[in-house]
Amino acid sequence: MKRVLFVGAVLLAIAAVSPAGAWNYGDSWILPVAERQGGGWIELPGAGYNGASAWQASGPDGVRRIYWRLDQPGMPTTAELWKIEIFVPTAGPGNWQPIESQFRGAAGETFPIEPEIPWAGQFGTNHQWIGSEFSDADRGTWKATGPGPQAPASADPMAPGNGIYMWLKGGSWLYAKWDFPWSIDRAWSDLRVTVVPEPGTMAALGAGLLSFAGMALRRRS
């Protein structure tokens, strides 16, 4: 009976720091490529996630972009911290290229400061971009993005920009572009996004669970 009560208390503690709705911290979604703009695309059949095509492009281009959308059922509608991973294609180059946020999806972002992003940013803007690259050793795996250069390190509004997270919500878009004065040769496939709890919340939860566990053990002894 005491074990049942302990498990129940753990579940209640987790629920206490999880927001209302269909999602929970730690939930992940896989985002297929939603749209490609511009020209110069090379299809790499079977090189993407789950045997789908990956897409490669190279050279500066002011129009070319590739998009992923956080448009799947059950995603949070409030701003949350997310971790972003890339599926590394089994073929194609992996030059460094940033993934950028479009927090309000089709509505875009207010530049230089998007008021719905709860981060002060740096360089005079809170627009977020996080670097990614890969090597042959990474092929066929999920690889984390970052750190930085313009991605918050924590939920602190004044957090530095060398982090591994982005503030996003259901309906946000992510994209990569070739609008740079240098050449990028890069293949892309799906992204995996995971909503993560704020570090302070997890610390408080851990302390609470340890305290409860200690009381339970003392009562049993």
Side-chain angles (χ1 to χ4, degrees):
M1 182 64 180
K2 290 181 178 179
R3 182 176 297 176
V4 172
L5 290 173
F6 175 73
V7 172
V10 170
L11 295 176
L12 286 172
I14 294 173
V17 298
S18 296
W23 65 278
N24 293 289
Y25 291 121
D27 284 351
S28 294
W29 291 266
I30 293 174
L31 309 182
V33 173
E35 183 180 353
R36 289 173 290 110
Q37 295 179 354
W41 293 101
I42 299 172
E43 184 175 4
L44 304 173
Y49 175 71
N50 207 23
S53 291
W55 294 92
Q56 175 186 348
S58 62
D61 189 307
V63 176
R64 187 190 304 126
R65 291 189 179 193
I66 188 167
Y67 285 89
W68 302 265
R69 296 173 183 160
L70 282 73
D71 58 0
Q72 298 181 22
M75 288 183 163
T77 57
T78 55
E80 301 291 341
L81 283 178
W82 297 72
K83 180 176 69 175
I84 302 168
E85 300 166 279
I86 61 168
F87 180 80
V88 178
T90 57
N95 287 177
W96 186 91
Q97 190 172 10
I99 298 170
E100 303 189 43
S101 71
Q102 194 162 314
F103 185 85
R104 293 184 292 125
E109 289 183 0
T110 301
F111 190 83
I113 298 294
E114 169 52 58
E116 289 193 47
I117 296 175
W119 179 51
Q122 57 185 5
F123 315 123
T125 179
N126 66 355
H127 176 62
Q128 304 161 106
W129 60 89
I130 193 165
S132 70
E133 60 187 330
F134 61 84
S135 66
D136 286 342
D138 303 314
R139 295 196 182 279
T141 67
W142 292 100
K143 185 177 182 183
T145 57
Q150 175 80 345
S154 73
D156 182 348
M158 304 305 294
N162 60 344
I164 59 171
Y165 307 113
M166 273 195 191
W167 286 104
L168 301 166
K169 64 177 182 178
S172 296
W173 294 0
L174 295 166
Y175 66 91
K177 66 183 182 181
W178 282 254
D179 187 12
F180 299 103
W182 63 88
S183 181
I184 295 173
D185 193 10
R186 178 64 185 259
W188 286 99
S189 179
D190 295 13
L191 303 182
R192 182 167 66 187
V193 295
T194 303
V195 60
V196 297
E198 299 176 7
T201 301
M202 281 305 291
L205 173 60
L209 291 181
L210 287 173
S211 175
F212 181 86
M215 288 189 295
L217 289 173
R218 286 195 296 272
R219 289 173 180 173
R220 293 186 64 183
S221 60

